[in-house]
Amino acid sequence: MMRIIFELDFEDVNPRLRRLLSYLEEMTRTSTTIPAEQGNSSVLLCDYIRCAIQKENVAVSTRKNKETTLRWISRWYQDLQLCQVTVGFIPDFIRHMKEQHFQDGTISKHLHQLRHYLYQAVKEGLVAPALHDPNLYAYKVEKYHHSFLSPEEFTLLEEYDAKMFPAHWETARQAFLFSCYTGLRFSDIKQLTPSHIKKKGDIHWLALKTQKTGIEIHLPLELLFQGKSLSIYNKVKGKPNAKCFKLGTNTATNKILQRIQNHLGLSTHISFHTARHTFATNLLYMDVRLEVIQKLLGHHNIKTTQIYAEMTDAALVKALQNNWLKP
């Protein structure tokens, strides 16, 4: 028999969550699960997902993504009861997202989040088993072109002098370049402190557990791009546990980078993740093996690395000359 212990002060819980907790308490007195066809009319879809998110132990960035999905569901289905969710709900949800001009990748991401909670509801007997069909949540995403800086654009950004502009522009530029030299994601750059960088012998090693995947990565800074990341680190480092880069949100930082892009006249559209693509592509151009790039990026699957490390035209020509066009 499932047991639930309620230790919350009901006066501090919003009314909808209070109804959900009351329902769960009643459920434990009657049965371990209640089939969807029996009703459960007091449980709202939004309340169910909200309660599930609160119980999950996930990274802050992952939680924010889940909460974003919940906000959109709440906007369109605020009063939808869990027992009213049918297979027709999925295409209707997609329709709403298309009307808001969501990108394909965004639609796919929200469907992925929704699927997780509806699968859970199926397992608990709260919705129809038909909702446990992966084909319902499959959404064809057009192949995304991963942008990266050309060598010329990279040099322009390195030599860019932001002294005449606000200080937060220079912070964003330095953080972006640090990512170009190390391949770190925005979420990992934000958490970076001097405690993550230790000198062993003649090499400074950057070691941290990535926010997105929880993989431990170890980067030899002197051996990557002539140790250029170290010169940036020495400028921004503070106390051992102080954040190296004082950045705002990912969105705010991307807006600053786009202003810098426009100022320099770069043709490549820049977001912070462009730095990670640039890191991988430059290593590929330098003939670094894909398995090594996979290790540096902290990828579980080398197929993911293959997507990131798109070959530049110059790298393609070089590969052909070395392997196929020799006399």
Side-chain angles (χ1 to χ4, degrees), residues 6 8 10-27 29 40-48 50-51 77-82:
F6 295 91
L8 295 173
F10 271 58
E11 293 302 317
D12 295 330
V13 183
N14 69 54
R16 287 185 178 168
L17 185 56
R18 206 157 51 230
R19 288 201 303 273
L20 176 59
L21 293 176
S22 297
Y23 157 74
L24 291 173
E25 187 177 34
E26 175 62 26
M27 187 178 73
R29 287 197 292 265
N40 304 331
S41 59
S42 62
V43 183
L44 299 179
L45 172 65
C46 295
D47 289 343
Y48 178 82
R50 185 178 295 108
C51 186
Y77 306 101
Q78 183 175 3
D79 299 317
L80 182 68
Q81 297 167 2
L82 198 56

Side-chain angles (χ1 to χ4, degrees), residues 19-236:
R19 288 201 303 273
L20 176 59
L21 293 176
S22 297
Y23 157 74
L24 291 173
E25 187 177 34
E26 175 62 26
M27 187 178 73
T28 61
R29 287 197 292 265
T30 57
S31 174
T32 56
T33 59
I34 301 226
E37 59 269 17
Q38 288 188 14
N40 304 331
S41 59
S42 62
V43 183
L44 299 179
L45 172 65
C46 295
D47 289 343
Y48 178 82
I49 295 176
R50 185 178 295 108
C51 186
I53 291 174
Q54 290 174 351
K55 292 179 179 179
E56 291 177 326
N57 182 21
V58 294
V60 174
S61 58
T62 302
R63 182 178 297 276
K64 286 182 178 179
N65 286 336
K66 291 172 178 287
E67 290 172 345
T68 299
T69 300
L70 175 59
R71 279 198 299 274
W72 286 110
I73 294 173
S74 299
R75 178 174 177 176
W76 300 318
Y77 306 101
Q78 183 175 3
D79 299 317
L80 182 68
Q81 297 167 2
L82 198 56
C83 65
Q84 295 173 323
V85 178
T86 65
V87 292
F89 167 73
I90 309 302
D92 192 65
F93 183 45
I94 294 173
R95 177 182 61 81
H96 277 298
M97 290 190 284
K98 284 185 173 181
E99 288 175 353
Q100 292 293 320
H101 305 292
F102 284 12
Q103 296 292 323
D104 287 346
T106 304
I107 293 175
S108 180
K109 179 184 71 175
H110 289 313
L111 287 173
H112 176 78
Q113 305 284 13
L114 175 65
R115 181 184 66 182
H116 171 75
Y117 296 111
L118 289 184
Y119 275 18
Q120 182 176 310
V122 169
K123 186 177 179 180
E124 295 172 3
L126 300 174
V127 294
L131 286 163
H132 201 287
D133 179 0
N135 293 322
L136 283 174
Y137 310 91
Y139 188 79
K140 186 176 181 180
V141 178
E142 301 257 344
K143 185 177 180 181
Y144 177 68
H145 175 69
H146 296 287
S147 61
F148 51 86
L149 297 179
S150 68
E152 295 78 15
E153 291 174 322
F154 197 26
T155 300
L156 277 174
L157 192 62
E158 285 181 314
E159 297 176 351
Y160 172 64
D161 185 0
K163 290 180 181 178
M164 65 183 71
F165 299 105
H168 60 284
W169 280 42
E170 178 62 3
T171 301
R173 184 186 76 98
Q174 289 179 332
F176 182 87
L177 285 174
F178 194 89
S179 179
C180 287
Y181 301 140
T182 62
L184 292 182
R185 298 182 182 90
F186 179 81
S187 57
D188 298 322
I189 292 279
K190 280 204 73 170
Q191 69 159 333
L192 186 69
T193 68
S195 63
H196 291 115
I197 299 177
K198 304 292 184 185
K199 189 172 183 179
K200 297 180 181 179
D202 296 329
I203 303 295
H204 286 83
W205 288 86
L206 189 159
L208 58 73
K209 182 178 288 187
T210 60
Q211 292 283 301
K212 182 176 180 180
T213 62
I215 293 177
E216 187 87 23
I217 59 172
H218 299 268
L219 306 175
L221 298 184
E222 278 89 352
L223 302 181
L224 293 169
F225 303 100
Q226 298 81 47
K228 290 182 178 180
S229 59
L230 271 176
S231 62
I232 294 177
Y233 167 71
N234 289 328
K235 292 177 183 177
V236 301

